[in-house]
Each structure stands twice: as C-alpha cells, then as structure tokens.
Amino acid sequence: MLTESFVASGTQKANSGAANKDVGIHIHEYQPLPALRTTFKKTSTRANCLAVSTSHVFAAQAEKAVIHVYNRDRNTQEAIVPFPERVTSLALIGPYDGAGILALGTAGGRVILWELCTGRLVSTPQSHLQAITCLAVDPSSNFFLTGSSDANVHVWSTATLLSFSTLSTHDQSHPSPYSPVRTLSTHRAGITALITGHSSSSVNIAISASEDNTCLVWDYHAGILLHTFILPGTPLCLALDPADRAFYAGYDDGSTQVINFYQPLSPSHWIYDPDLRRTPTQPPPEGRWFLPADIASVVLSLDISYDGTILLSGHEDGKIHSWDIAKGRYATQLADVSFSVTNLQMLPPQGFSIPFAPRLKLLNVTKPRYESSLIGSNISSMQFGVPENYTFTAQFTSAVPFPSVTNNPILSFDQGLTHSSFPSSLLDEGLAHFATFSSIAKGPPGISGWYDDMDVEGARIPTLEAQLRHARATSMAHAEHAVALGDELLRKQDAERRKRRMKKLGRIKRIGMEDERRKKAMAVVSKKQQGVMEADKKIAGDVELSSSTEELTGSE
C-alpha cells in the first residue's frame, strides 16, 4: 500500500507559556490516514533549518551553534554536533535514500559542507555580508544555491568545493576554489525563500523570494533572469509544482497564492517567451486563497504532495492545513502541534511495487573533524589533498554489483577496483610488463650486447599481442589503432626472425672459424710430426753410416 508522510518542525509559539521541551520534530503520515508516527523532542528550528534523509533527521538548534542528529531507524537522538558559529540554514546534498553531504549556511555568511560518511568538513570564506537564510540544491546535486539577508543569491559548484585539488591560479574565471560560480543580485532586500526546479538538465530554473515583495525566476546555470513577479505582500515561503508549471507563495496574513508560468487561456509562457520575459508581471488576484477569518495565521512553510494535487501549509499558531489545488481553496486542517511550524517537508512516498533501493545506507554519521586548515578565511593557509585517515563508513544494502569481465579499456579500471578478480586485459598487460624484466638468453661471445638489444625488442612482442587482443576485443577501439598495433607487431616479428637468423648464421660462422683454426692447428702438428720423422730418419742414417765406418776400420 502506498503511504505518504511529512515532517514538521518549528520554534516556540510567540506569547506562549508552553515549555521549550514541548517543541520538537514530528513525522506525520498523510496518506492513507493522517496520524502522528514519530516525535523527536527538545529541538527548536527556525525556517530552512531542517534536513531529512531515509536514515536521519538533521536540525539546527535556534540561537545555538549546534546541530541535532536523530536516527530514524532507532527513533533516538544520535548526536549533538557543535560548530564554530551558529547555523542558520540546512540542506541535504545527494539522494534522499543514500549517504550524502550536509550543506550548512552560517550566521557569518559562510558555507560549510559536511561529508556524513567521512567526517570531512569543507568551509568557504565569508561569501555573504549577512547571515545565509536559505539553501536550495538542484536535482543533480552538482550545484546548490544560497540566499542571504544581503539580498544576494550565490550559485556554488559542489564538485569544486569538495575537490581535493586546487584550481589553476591562472584561471581568471575562478579566482578561488572556494568562491561561488556566479552571483544573482537583482533583489533589493533580504532573501526569504529559495527553491529549484525538478529538472536535472542545464536549463533548470530557480525561484527566489525577497522582502522587496518580488519573486524572480532564474536560469541559474547561465545567470540569466527569466522573469519578475510582483506580489501583493512579502512572500515568506515557496513551493514548486512537481511539473514546474507553477509555484506557490505564503504570506503573513495566512493566505497562499498560486503563480502560474502560463498565461490563462493562452499558449504564451511568461518565462520562456522573449517578448514577456523583460516585463514584470503581477499575478491575478483570483489565484490568492484565504483561510477562514477565525483560523487565519501567518504562513511560515509550504510544501506540495507527490502528485501535485494538495498544498500543505504550516502556520505560526501550530496548525497544518491542506489546500485543494484543483478547486483553488482551503481544504482541511491536518494537524495541530505545540509549536510554530517553520519547516514543513513532504517525504517521498513509500510502497511502490518496484522500489529503487539505494546501494549505500548511512548507519551512523561520522562526526566532523575541525582541522584548522579546513575552517577559516585564509585560503592560502589551507592544506589541499586527501586528508590523513580519510575513511568512508557506510553499509552496503545489497550485494556489490560486480561487472562482467570484459576487455573494454574504458571499464577496465572500474573493473579492477570493483570486481573480485581482474580483467584478462590487465592480466595480459601485467604479464607482458613482467616479461620485459625477466632473464634474457645471451648470444654468442663477442656480440652478446647486440643480441641483448634485439632480445629486449623481442620481449615487447607479448605486450603488443596483448594490446592487439585488447583493441580487437572492444567495440569502442578505433580501427586505425588496431591496424597500427598490427603493423608494429609484424615489424617486431620480422625483427625477431632476423635476429634468430643472425644467431644461426653467427653460430655457423663460429663453427666454421673453429674448423679453420682446427685445420690450421692440424697442419702445424702434421708439419711438426713430419719434421720429427725427417729428423729421426736423418739421425738413423747418421748412426748407420758411423757403424759402417767402424766396421771397415776394424777389418783393416
């Protein structure tokens, strides 16, 4: 069964004798049956000082520099986190049902980002001249906006603030890594409310409300003012239609007003029609809805149901009312709490047949680390890089989705990180690199150095073969790259064959040289033997002659 809930928080009622302990955070079920489900006590929050995720509730304590962290799974207070200065606005960056980042706006005009799973803090220098009154995060979480009492709206890049590296000092468009991307400064009084559209594209809109009784519609990616709406009173809070067709404003007399982006009975669009963009518009009075006179109270917060048919309003007297958008009138009272409802937030519906379960769940927040290099206004003294003992702590809600082993070069690095084994391409390349350092057979004496050089070239062949298999296995590899690898492989193979032939020829030559030396030695030996034999013959002849002479002498 589909259920829909909302969260309400606030401050102690004006001129009320109720104790501050009665002020807290209430989680109400809206559909199918309105009922109070959970209560967190002893927390007083001003407007825009509440952030809710699937697992936690974050509330900035009014007039104090602390944030209360409540665990929704255990229905208990998990932590009280102090900060260097008072927090005046909160917003959660990232998916509602995942492990995200908490953005804080301070009374001193700073922005602080708190990584809930690591405890890392990133703080900007003073960016606003006065307190930051509201924060709004775009659906992609790539950007967020801050509004302040100084009448300015800053657009920030989440990735730039969280980056571990600095931007180039020669980049004039980003004088500091902790400066806003752009500033929207058309209002003439303090910003009271700020909301962004539901699109993740680069043409998403943002709407800012101000004490100068105007609401401005922005293309915040380009810094372009799309349209100006002049309102009959000071808008204290805003809500945007789920399809970005209109927005709703709440006033101090208890009324709400719908401001349509389309003109009645006309296809013209006040925002995207160039002819109507520059002319300020005053919405028609029939779009303003009033409470009965006996229950009228200041509207402090607004939000809209998931299907866009019901508008909820939180009031200073503690009442929460619903409005029928189709009929354009007040519907009924949903709840009566003991505090002024300064924050009202509809939660995503639960009970869809195909839920999109998050991969990570934040069990417990990691308390922030207050390094001096992260909190301060002196950018030159900040230390950049991955902090020591940087640890990400979260729970996997499902099995880690290991990708199939492929040879895609774009995915190989991700596979090496997430898979239980390594892609074959990484293994082949690693073995080929190891092969270059293995022992290489030496060549014949006298020319071993030349052989070594050729062996090193031959050792490149396994690497080239692995790269060629790598290129052929992926459909995204360029044909030219594969051809070039094939040509280089052929050249290396030819060189290897030539090397082997040269080795063989060198071996044959060496054998021939040894045979020639052996023949010369044998010739020398035979000559010596022949000389010895001739000498022996001569000696034998001389001996025989002397014997004959002696015999002749004796006979005489």
Side-chain angles (χ1 to χ4, degrees), residues 123-168:
S123 175
T124 69
Q126 183 181 12
S127 55
H128 289 281
L129 298 179
Q130 299 182 42
I132 297 176
T133 55
C134 46
L135 276 160
V137 182
D138 79 339
S140 68
S141 298
N142 292 327
F143 298 92
F144 66 93
L145 291 77
T146 57
S148 170
S149 300
D150 63 3
N152 291 326
V153 175
H154 289 331
V155 182
W156 302 85
S157 170
T158 308
T160 301
L161 291 180
L162 294 177
S163 175
F164 288 117
S165 60
T166 59
L167 295 176
S168 172

Side-chain angles (χ1 to χ4, degrees), residues 317-373:
D317 61 359
K319 304 292 194 301
I320 299 176
H321 298 290
S322 65
W323 306 76
D324 191 324
I325 293 177
K327 296 180 180 179
R329 65 184 184 185
Y330 168 72
T332 185
Q333 176 180 312
L334 294 178
D336 185 3
V337 297
S338 59
F339 50 84
S340 298
V341 185
T342 56
N343 296 279
L344 191 61
Q345 182 175 338
M346 294 292 299
L347 302 180
Q350 304 295 319
F352 284 113
S353 58
I354 306 178
F356 298 95
R359 295 181 179 179
L360 291 176
K361 183 178 181 180
L362 180 63
L363 292 181
N364 296 286
V365 299
T366 303
K367 290 187 178 181
R369 301 185 299 270
Y370 302 101
E371 291 92 343
S372 60
S373 60

Side-chain angles (χ1 to χ4, degrees), residues 280-535:
T281 301
Q282 187 170 1
E286 56 268 19
R288 193 171 184 182
W289 309 330
F290 293 89
L291 287 170
D294 57 336
I295 60 172
S297 178
V298 178
V299 180
L300 298 178
S301 54
L302 286 175
D303 209 345
I304 195 168
S305 63
Y306 179 77
D307 58 4
T309 60
I310 299 295
L311 178 69
L312 273 64
S313 60
H315 296 258
E316 188 178 41
D317 61 359
K319 304 292 194 301
I320 299 176
H321 298 290
S322 65
W323 306 76
D324 191 324
I325 293 177
K327 296 180 180 179
R329 65 184 184 185
Y330 168 72
T332 185
Q333 176 180 312
L334 294 178
D336 185 3
V337 297
S338 59
F339 50 84
S340 298
V341 185
T342 56
N343 296 279
L344 191 61
Q345 182 175 338
M346 294 292 299
L347 302 180
Q350 304 295 319
F352 284 113
S353 58
I354 306 178
F356 298 95
R359 295 181 179 179
L360 291 176
K361 183 178 181 180
L362 180 63
L363 292 181
N364 296 286
V365 299
T366 303
K367 290 187 178 181
R369 301 185 299 270
Y370 302 101
E371 291 92 343
S372 60
S373 60
L374 297 177
I375 303 295
S377 59
N378 187 5
I379 292 294
S380 61
S381 65
M382 293 186 179
Q383 299 176 0
F384 299 99
V386 180
E388 295 182 1
N389 302 323
Y390 184 78
T391 305
F392 187 93
T393 306
Q395 180 187 28
F396 287 106
T397 57
S398 60
V400 179
F402 292 134
S404 59
V405 178
T406 65
N407 287 321
N408 191 330
I410 297 178
L411 300 178
S412 61
F413 181 75
D414 294 335
Q415 290 174 351
L417 289 177
T418 60
H419 205 275
S420 56
S421 62
F422 291 96
S424 59
S425 59
L426 288 180
L427 294 175
D428 291 341
E429 187 175 358
L431 292 174
H433 281 298
F434 277 119
T436 61
F437 298 103
S438 62
S439 60
I440 303 173
K442 303 299 180 181
I447 53 176
S448 59
W450 181 77
Y451 281 167
D452 290 346
D453 294 338
M454 296 195 69
D455 285 339
V456 172
E457 290 296 325
R460 282 278 298 160
I461 291 178
T463 303
L464 293 171
E465 290 175 343
Q467 292 178 354
L468 183 59
R469 288 196 302 270
H470 200 169
R472 287 173 177 171
T474 174
S475 59
M476 301 183 67
H478 295 292
E480 295 83 356
H481 183 54
V483 170
L485 288 175
D487 293 341
E488 187 175 358
L489 179 59
L490 290 176
R491 288 195 298 270
K492 297 298 181 183
Q493 289 174 341
D494 290 341
E496 179 70 12
R497 285 193 292 269
R498 288 196 301 270
K499 179 194 71 173
R500 291 175 181 175
R501 286 198 298 269
M502 292 299 295
K503 282 186 177 181
K504 186 175 181 180
L505 292 174
R507 192 179 302 112
I508 294 173
K509 184 178 180 181
R510 180 169 57 84
I511 294 173
M513 292 173 62
E514 290 177 355
D515 291 342
E516 188 175 354
R517 286 197 298 268
R518 190 180 298 110
K519 288 179 181 180
K520 289 181 178 180
M522 291 296 293
V524 172
V525 170
S526 65
K527 283 183 179 181
K528 287 183 179 181
Q529 290 177 349
Q530 192 173 17
V532 170
M533 292 174 63
E534 290 177 356

Side-chain angles (χ1 to χ4, degrees), residues 30-244:
Y30 170 62
Q31 290 183 2
L33 182 65
L36 177 63
R37 296 304 181 192
T38 307
T39 300
F40 300 110
K41 294 289 188 179
K42 300 180 181 179
T43 298
S44 178
T45 56
R46 294 193 176 276
N48 305 313
C49 288
L50 181 71
V52 184
S53 69
T54 303
S55 57
H56 289 82
V57 177
F58 304 91
Q61 181 70 25
E63 308 303 330
K64 292 184 179 180
V66 298
I67 289 181
H68 296 271
V69 181
Y70 297 94
N71 192 302
R72 293 182 61 188
D73 295 332
R74 296 190 291 266
N75 291 331
T76 57
Q77 186 175 46
E78 183 176 309
I80 300 177
V81 183
F83 282 86
E85 54 185 313
R86 185 164 54 89
V87 177
T88 54
S89 56
L90 284 181
L92 193 65
I93 301 176
Y96 163 76
D97 50 4
I101 300 159
L102 192 65
L104 297 79
T106 69
R110 302 177 190 274
V111 174
I112 300 175
L113 297 185
W114 173 18
E115 293 183 358
L116 300 175
C117 289
T118 66
R120 179 189 177 211
L121 280 183
V122 176
S123 175
T124 69
Q126 183 181 12
S127 55
H128 289 281
L129 298 179
Q130 299 182 42
I132 297 176
T133 55
C134 46
L135 276 160
V137 182
D138 79 339
S140 68
S141 298
N142 292 327
F143 298 92
F144 66 93
L145 291 77
T146 57
S148 170
S149 300
D150 63 3
N152 291 326
V153 175
H154 289 331
V155 182
W156 302 85
S157 170
T158 308
T160 301
L161 291 180
L162 294 177
S163 175
F164 288 117
S165 60
T166 59
L167 295 176
S168 172
T169 56
H170 302 287
D171 188 356
Q172 299 299 324
S173 61
H174 295 85
S176 167
Y178 295 104
S179 62
V181 177
R182 61 184 51 86
T183 299
L184 314 176
S185 57
T186 304
H187 284 293
R188 299 183 179 180
I191 307 299
T192 58
L194 193 60
I195 53 176
T196 61
H198 298 86
S199 172
S200 297
S201 68
S202 60
V203 293
N204 194 27
I205 62 171
I207 305 172
S208 58
S210 172
E211 295 173 352
D212 60 6
N213 295 354
T214 63
C215 278
L216 305 183
V217 184
W218 302 91
D219 177 357
Y220 61 89
H221 288 281
I224 299 174
L225 176 62
L226 299 178
H227 199 73
T228 301
F229 291 97
I230 301 176
L231 304 182
T234 300
L236 302 179
C237 49
L238 296 175
L240 186 62
D241 177 78
D244 295 352

